[in-house]
Amino acid sequence: QVQLVESGGGLVQAGEPLRLACAASGGTFSTYAMAWFRQAPGEGRRFVGAISRSGGNTNYADSVNGRFTISRDNVKNTVYLQMNSLKPEDTAVYYCAAGFTLWQEQVIGVSYAFWGQGTQVTVSS
């Protein structure tokens, strides 16, 4: 199975950018759709965005659409989340996830079976 490790979290001020990375090992990275989720204190884990196996298709939650961008490097086995114009309500633990898909460019209706441990993002002011 695949193992996922997030990195890049930290403390930033509102309006500033941050980039997260998720490194995959122990599996064939290019066979998985990848996604980012987040969980704030007292809330459930929520979908942030997803990217298809080849990187040709993406999907985002309304709350981050236009501010966040998912990308992937299938040579480095890494998926990224570029977060711009951060808001205090973006504060959460961010998790990456991997799932199998029937279609190469699928990003909707994916069941994510593999999860990382998460990285904390805190947005101040």
Side-chain angles (χ1 to χ4, degrees), residues 38-46 89-93 95 120:
R38 67 187 184 186
Q39 186 168 20
E43 300 181 3
R45 191 169 299 184
R46 291 184 153 216
E89 50 262 47
D90 295 319
T91 295
V93 177
Y95 301 88
Q120 176 72 48

Side-chain angles (χ1 to χ4, degrees), residues 3-80:
Q3 289 80 49
L4 305 173
V5 180
E6 301 94 337
S7 63
L11 175 64
V12 297
Q13 290 188 314
E16 296 299 309
L18 194 67
R19 189 178 75 157
L20 307 182
C22 174
S25 62
T28 304
F29 182 68
S30 61
T31 65
Y32 298 102
M34 300 296 297
W36 288 93
F37 292 76
R38 67 187 184 186
Q39 186 168 20
E43 300 181 3
R45 191 169 299 184
R46 291 184 153 216
F47 174 79
V48 174
I51 188 165
S52 61
R53 284 152 47 183
S54 70
N57 199 22
T58 57
N59 185 43
Y60 300 96
D62 288 345
S63 59
V64 306
N65 194 30
R67 298 188 297 122
F68 291 11
T69 303
I70 293 177
S71 62
R72 69 189 294 163
D73 186 333
N74 285 354
V75 175
K76 292 185 175 182
N77 294 341
T78 302
V79 63
Y80 303 92

